[in-house]
């Protein structure tokens, strides 16, 4: 995690678990005393956006940058000028949570100049249980589309194959196979294998990518 | 088929297409936009039609037309958009046409907000349209149940020649959950001899209409509709009862709220308080029968809604004065939390004995 470049862009199909990954990632970075900003660039989804967790994240010392219009109920694609702060101020570790499809990724285009080789990482989250990213061909098409819209190259894959709380080790391993195929075809490494903690314990230690256990911060207890 | 993870709105779209829906007319509104987006992308692939109308009023009248021609057709919207569709829904019910209408409810009144709500209960069950008409209202609590009921809704609509509404609060539209698609059980559906799909020179033209010049004819028509609604009440009412018999308190909740309530019930059980749940799956017909299980031992009923109290009227009708009925709700897009419900339950039960 600390080896990743300072600017981390988390992208992928909605439902892949981007926001959950981004929030967990930011929390872990803050846990090792880093100065962290999480930027919610989601202009696509009306619910389950990282800005909803502003209180929780701020308490951990994480700066949350969301819409310039306050209120969780805002459905306007307004992005704050403050987004530039963690991109320009190099004392920040920046985590950008991007809206879940190629249209959502378009908002990244405006920050193109900050995505220089060696300065940023764009991590593409894959959930093989999402219907649009179940095969190598569809996943690569989706990834490419996001690259075109965002004008940035994906530098790493995250296998986050899940079925929420009913995720099994089989789900993760099946997702890993898909990620391997994508990885080989595109020559992009699998950087993380993320899954709920009780499944993470069971994963083979030699799996490609860093095992990244996550908590489900975005789901209320009553949700499956 | 293995389970896949889907967002409620797209799962509804996928279920509709699997159920044979080929036509969709609508107008965008949050929080249900992924559904028309899905239909716009997928319907052309199967030779169907997606059409974004110029307004909700236009969209529901296009549904009226397509249903009259015998097509499997659907529309969807969210609260204020469904309000605009009420006139058309009344016409469709009056003309006895099948269609499916999805309402992914947001906070109101007026434009309100985009967060989840259940404040369209009156609109859905009492009808915002005019006249003596009724339609089934399914209120699923999970994405799987949404998919199952949505697929069945098309058959039910054709069986009774009546619009069917599927209502979910915004959370049902936006939440991701694992789903699989299963064929609904077969229903007796008569051939559409009434549809305006061309006479082929073999019959007189069919006419789709809800206007009756002669009041006696209209009364006869309305009585016939009423008999049909009675049959729907008899055959299509659905609910889930959990530990209702001899419970200290019985909670009534539907949709997402029922899931929060289940969490609250689990917490009460840990403390030794026995709580029942009545979960209406059809809001109309309302499951009056579910309340027959309530025994004298129960101290009171608690209705929990994401509104200021609408279903509570039906709960009072069903319990018919046998027990006091209490209310707890959040509104405007706020989702109740389990602890707050536990607190309300304890006020009624008197806490642990």
């Amino acid at each position: 995690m600390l080896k990743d470049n300072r600017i981390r862009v988390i992208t992928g199909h909605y439902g892949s678990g981007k926001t959950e990954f981004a929030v967990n990632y930011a929390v872990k970075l803050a846990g090792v005393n880093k100065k962290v900003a999480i930027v919610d660039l989601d202009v696509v989804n009306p619910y389950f956006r990282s800005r909803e967790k502003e209180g929780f994240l701020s308490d951990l010392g994480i700066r949350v940058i969301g819409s310039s219009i306050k209120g969780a109920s805002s459905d306007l694609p307004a992005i704050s000028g403050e987004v530039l702060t963690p991109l320009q101020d190099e004392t920040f570790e920046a985590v950008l949570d991007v809206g879940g499809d190629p249209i959502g990724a378009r908002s990244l285009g405006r920050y193109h100049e900050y995505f220089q080789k060696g300065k940023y990482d764009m991590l593409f989250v894959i959930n093989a249980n999402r219907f649009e990213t179940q095969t190598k061909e569809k996943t690569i098409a989706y990834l490419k589309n996001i690259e075109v819209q965002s004008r940035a190259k994906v530098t790493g894959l995250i296998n986050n194959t899940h079925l929420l709380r009913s995720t099994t080790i089989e789900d993760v391993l099946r997702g890993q196979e898909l990620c391997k195929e994508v990885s080989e075809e595109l020559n992009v490494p699998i950087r993380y294998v993320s899954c709920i903690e009780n499944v993470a314990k069971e994963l083979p230690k030699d799996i490609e990518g860093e095992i990244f256990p996550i908590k489900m911060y975005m789901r209320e207890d009553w949700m499956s | 088929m293995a389970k896949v993870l889907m967002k409620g709105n797209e799962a509804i779209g996928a279920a509709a297409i699997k159920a044979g829906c080929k036509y969709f007319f609508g107008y965008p509104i949050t929080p249900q936009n992924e559904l028309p987006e899905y239909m716009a992308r997928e319907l052309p692939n199967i030779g169907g039609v997606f059409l974004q109308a110029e307004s909700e009023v236009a969209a529901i009248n296009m549904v009226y037309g397509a249903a009259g021609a015998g097509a499997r057709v659907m529309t969807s919207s969210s609260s204020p958009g469904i309000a605009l569709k009420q006139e058309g829904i009344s016409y469709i019910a009056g003309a006895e046409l099948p269609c499916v209408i999805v309402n992914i409810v947001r906070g109101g009144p007026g434009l309100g907000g985009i967060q989840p709500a259940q404040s369209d209960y009156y609109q859905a069950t009492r009808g915002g349209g005019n006249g003596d008409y009724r339609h089934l209202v399914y209120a699923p609590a999970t994405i799987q149940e949404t998919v199952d009921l949505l697929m069945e809704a098309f058959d039910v609509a054709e069986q009774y020649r009546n619009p069917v509404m599927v209502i979910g609060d915004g959370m049902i539209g936006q939440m991701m959950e694992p789903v699989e698609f299963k064929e609904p059980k077969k229903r007796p559906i008569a051939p559409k001899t009434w549809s305006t799909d061309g006479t082929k020179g073999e019959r007189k033209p069919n006419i789709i209409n809800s206007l009756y010049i002669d009041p006696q004819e209209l009364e006869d028509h309305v009585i016939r509709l009423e008999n049909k609604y009675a049959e729907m009440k008899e055959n299509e009412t659905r609910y889930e009862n959990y530990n209702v018999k001899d419970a200290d308190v019985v909670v009534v909740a539907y949709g997402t709220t029922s899931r929060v309530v289940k969490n609250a019930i689990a917490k009460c059980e840990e403390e030794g308080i026995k709580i029942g749940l009545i979960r209406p799956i059809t809001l109309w017909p309302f499951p009056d029968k579910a309340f027959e299980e309530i025994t004298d031992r129960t101290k009171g009923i608690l209705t929990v809604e994401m509104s200021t109290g609408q279903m509570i009227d039906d709960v009072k009708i069903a319990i018919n004065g046998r027990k006091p009925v209490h209310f707890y709700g959040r509104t405007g897009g706020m989702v109740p939390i389990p602890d707050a419900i536990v607190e309300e339950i304890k006020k009624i039960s008197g806490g642990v004995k």
Side-chain angles (χ1 to χ4, degrees), chain A residues 13-16 44-49 52 72-75 101 127 129-132 134 162-164 166 174 219-224, chain B residues 3-7 10 30-31 34 37-38 41-42 105-106 113-116 170-171 174-178 256 259-260 263 335-336 338:
Chain A
H13 190 14
Y14 62 80
S16 60
V44 181
N45 291 298
Y47 293 13
F48 302 109
R49 299 181 290 201
E52 289 173 20
S73 227
S74 151
D75 148 18
D101 62 10
N127 179 0
N129 285 328
R130 281 290 288 160
F131 70 112
E132 283 193 57
Q134 290 191 313
H162 72 96
L163 272 179
L164 301 164
S166 42
R174 189 162 35 79
R219 309 255 323 165
E220 302 293 334
D221 288 343
W222 54 266
M223 294 180 184
S224 53
Chain B
K3 286 191 177 181
V4 288
L5 191 67
M6 291 186 96
K7 195 170 192 167
E10 50 182 30
T30 308
E34 295 84 359
E37 280 167 15
Y38 185 91
R41 200 172 62 232
E42 299 297 332
V105 183
R106 57 189 256 171
I114 63 168
Q115 297 294 322
M171 212 46 107
Q174 291 297 323
M175 199 163 39
M176 294 265 177
E177 280 184 333
T256 295
R259 296 173 63 170
V260 185
N263 228 294
V335 181

Side-chain angles (χ1 to χ4, degrees), chain B residues 4-133:
Chain B
V4 288
L5 191 67
M6 291 186 96
K7 195 170 192 167
N9 284 331
E10 50 182 30
I12 293 171
I17 289 175
K18 283 193 199 296
C21 171
K22 285 185 75 178
Y23 303 92
F24 183 99
F25 305 97
Y27 188 82
I29 182 169
T30 308
Q32 59 87 56
N33 283 330
E34 295 84 359
L35 169 49
E37 280 167 15
Y38 185 91
M39 296 310 246
R41 200 172 62 232
E42 299 297 332
L43 278 177
N45 299 335
I46 57 155
V49 171
F50 166 88
L51 200 146
Q52 180 171 321
E54 70 270 33
S55 72
E56 287 85 350
V57 178
I60 191 71
N61 281 288
M62 290 173 187
V63 169
Y64 184 17
R72 279 212 155 177
V73 57
M74 177 167 97
T75 187
S76 70
S77 192
S78 178
S79 310
I82 296 290
L84 284 164
K85 288 183 166 133
Q86 292 299 328
E87 178 198 54
I89 297 172
S90 167
Y91 276 59
I92 293 168
E96 292 191 84
L97 298 176
C99 69
V100 174
I101 300 151
V102 175
N103 183 6
I104 300 297
V105 183
R106 57 189 256 171
L111 266 183
I114 63 168
Q115 297 294 322
Q118 296 181 314
S119 42
D120 294 356
Y121 184 93
Y122 286 152
Q123 185 199 56
T125 60
R126 268 53 177 175
N130 61 299
D132 286 315
Y133 79 96

Side-chain angles (χ1 to χ4, degrees), chain B residues 3-312:
Chain B
K3 286 191 177 181
V4 288
L5 191 67
M6 291 186 96
K7 195 170 192 167
N9 284 331
E10 50 182 30
I12 293 171
I17 289 175
K18 283 193 199 296
C21 171
K22 285 185 75 178
Y23 303 92
F24 183 99
F25 305 97
Y27 188 82
I29 182 169
T30 308
Q32 59 87 56
N33 283 330
E34 295 84 359
L35 169 49
E37 280 167 15
Y38 185 91
M39 296 310 246
R41 200 172 62 232
E42 299 297 332
L43 278 177
N45 299 335
I46 57 155
V49 171
F50 166 88
L51 200 146
Q52 180 171 321
E54 70 270 33
S55 72
E56 287 85 350
V57 178
I60 191 71
N61 281 288
M62 290 173 187
V63 169
Y64 184 17
R72 279 212 155 177
V73 57
M74 177 167 97
T75 187
S76 70
S77 192
S78 178
S79 310
I82 296 290
L84 284 164
K85 288 183 166 133
Q86 292 299 328
E87 178 198 54
I89 297 172
S90 167
Y91 276 59
I92 293 168
E96 292 191 84
L97 298 176
C99 69
V100 174
I101 300 151
V102 175
N103 183 6
I104 300 297
V105 183
R106 57 189 256 171
L111 266 183
I114 63 168
Q115 297 294 322
Q118 296 181 314
S119 42
D120 294 356
Y121 184 93
Y122 286 152
Q123 185 199 56
T125 60
R126 268 53 177 175
N130 61 299
D132 286 315
Y133 79 96
R134 294 289 195 172
H135 58 70
L136 253 138
V137 182
Y138 287 122
T142 64
I143 309 301
Q144 183 63 57
E145 193 176 41
T146 307
V147 160
D148 295 343
L149 290 173
L150 196 280
M151 289 179 80
E152 198 171 352
F154 284 95
D155 289 346
V156 176
E158 289 187 4
Q159 184 181 339
Y160 294 97
R161 287 181 59 187
N162 205 53
V164 174
M165 182 175 279
V166 178
I167 199 166
D169 59 80
M171 212 46 107
I172 294 289
Q174 291 297 323
M175 199 163 39
M176 294 265 177
E177 280 184 333
V179 287
E180 59 186 330
F181 297 92
K182 298 168 282 192
E183 282 289 311
K185 68 170 181 17
K186 286 265 171 287
R187 284 172 175 270
I189 299 168
K192 294 174 178 173
T193 53
W194 44 264
S195 72
T196 53
D197 56 352
T199 65
K200 300 171 189 75
E202 290 165 3
R203 59 166 169 82
K204 287 196 168 164
N206 287 330
I207 297 169
I208 303 293
N209 182 33
S210 67
L211 174 68
Y212 291 81
I213 308 279
D214 176 4
Q216 187 55 60
E217 248 187 77
L218 179 54
E219 189 186 44
D220 294 346
H221 173 61
V222 170
I223 288 170
R224 210 165 45 74
L225 291 182
E226 191 55 29
N227 292 338
K228 184 170 81 174
Y229 302 147
E231 202 185 319
M232 284 158 65
K233 262 188 201 172
E234 182 64 30
N235 299 331
E236 305 301 337
T237 307
R238 278 195 217 176
Y239 59 93
E240 177 196 348
N241 269 15
Y242 168 80
N243 276 350
V244 170
K245 197 170 179 287
D246 294 334
D248 296 329
V249 176
V250 172
V251 185
V252 189
Y254 69 96
T256 295
T257 309
S258 70
R259 296 173 63 170
V260 185
V261 167
K262 281 184 180 174
N263 228 294
I265 289 176
K267 288 187 181 196
C268 288
E269 283 169 349
E270 281 170 22
E271 296 182 32
I273 313 171
K274 193 183 168 215
I275 307 301
L277 171 69
I278 294 176
R279 177 172 78 89
I281 298 171
T282 51
L283 303 184
W284 192 90
F286 192 74
D288 294 341
K289 219 175 142 46
F291 292 76
E292 290 172 9
E293 244 186 82
I294 295 172
T295 59
D296 288 344
R297 205 181 159 277
T298 299
K299 289 182 179 155
I301 314 291
L302 176 66
T303 304
V304 184
E305 301 176 50
M306 283 193 267
S307 77
T308 52
Q310 299 191 10
M311 180 177 68
I312 189 170

